[in-house]
Amino acid sequence: MSVTVHTNVGDLKIEIFCESVPKTAENFLALCASSYYDQTNFHRNIPGFMIQGGDPTGKGKGGESIYGPHFEDEIKPALRHNGRGVVSMANRGPNTNGSQWFIAYAAAPHLDGKNTVFGKLLDGKDTTLDVMEKREVDKKGRPLEPITIKSITIHANPLAQ
């Protein structure tokens, strides 16, 4: 299972780990299928660490899962923040997953056991992700020029009715 995130700076193809983290995968894919992320901005960009999006308010404080405000973590020891292109849920502590997610620019082992890894980049790691990481940011890590998710294409969605 994969999706292509079409941004204003290029495309990112992401493999989704449906079998390993089914609830997280279902949440992400359902939000993608409903166009929830369309025309939203990546609101946090920390070069050398990660870029975060998934908040429809664009402020980093909003967004809900398909299960309600939050759902529980699906931490799997085999799924680690072990390099560039790892895709993971953003949260505010244990079991607070909503709609926000991030892509790692580098290994982030301090997040292992704290954030649910649910995918990895298949394409765009050395192109689009490089452009994103080089974008200028303010003191709070907000991109000075918007990095926008235009749309998301789901490839072979097993959850589609």
Side-chain angles (χ1 to χ4, degrees):
M1 165 59 56
S2 66
V3 302
T4 299
V5 179
H6 306 284
T7 78
N8 64 323
V9 298
D11 292 347
L12 298 165
K13 188 168 188 180
I14 303 171
E15 176 183 358
I16 307 299
F17 304 145
C18 296
E19 290 185 19
S20 299
V21 288
K23 192 164 191 170
T24 304
E26 180 179 24
N27 179 66
F28 181 73
L29 291 169
L31 292 173
C32 290
S34 71
S35 303
Y36 187 87
Y37 297 123
D38 291 5
Q39 303 306 313
T40 63
N41 292 329
F42 286 94
H43 60 271
R44 188 169 177 219
N45 188 15
I46 303 172
F49 178 39
M50 62 88 204
I51 186 163
Q52 183 173 329
D55 173 13
T57 72
K59 307 270 189 235
K61 299 184 187 295
E64 288 194 358
S65 77
I66 62 168
Y67 310 109
H70 302 111
F71 69 97
E72 66 274 8
D73 297 324
E74 288 183 293
I75 305 296
K76 305 294 181 189
L79 298 177
R80 308 180 64 76
H81 298 87
N82 59 0
R84 186 172 183 81
V86 169
V87 183
S88 187
M89 291 300 293
N91 64 37
R92 290 177 286 167
N95 303 311
T96 59
N97 298 293
S99 64
Q100 294 187 44
W101 53 281
F102 65 89
I103 304 170
Y105 288 133
H110 64 286
L111 297 179
D112 292 341
K114 297 177 182 172
N115 295 75
T116 300
V117 172
F118 70 93
K120 70 176 181 181
L121 284 187
L122 295 174
D123 193 26
K125 188 169 24 176
D126 299 322
T127 54
T128 303
L129 198 61
D130 283 350
V131 171
M132 294 168 119
E133 187 173 18
K134 291 175 183 167
R135 280 288 174 101
E136 200 173 339
V137 296
D138 68 14
K139 290 184 282 187
K140 293 186 176 182
R142 294 186 195 115
L144 296 180
E145 292 181 52
I147 303 171
T148 305
I149 297 171
K150 297 190 300 186
S151 64
I152 299 177
T153 301
I154 300 173
H155 308 286
N157 182 359
L159 304 173
Q161 297 295 327

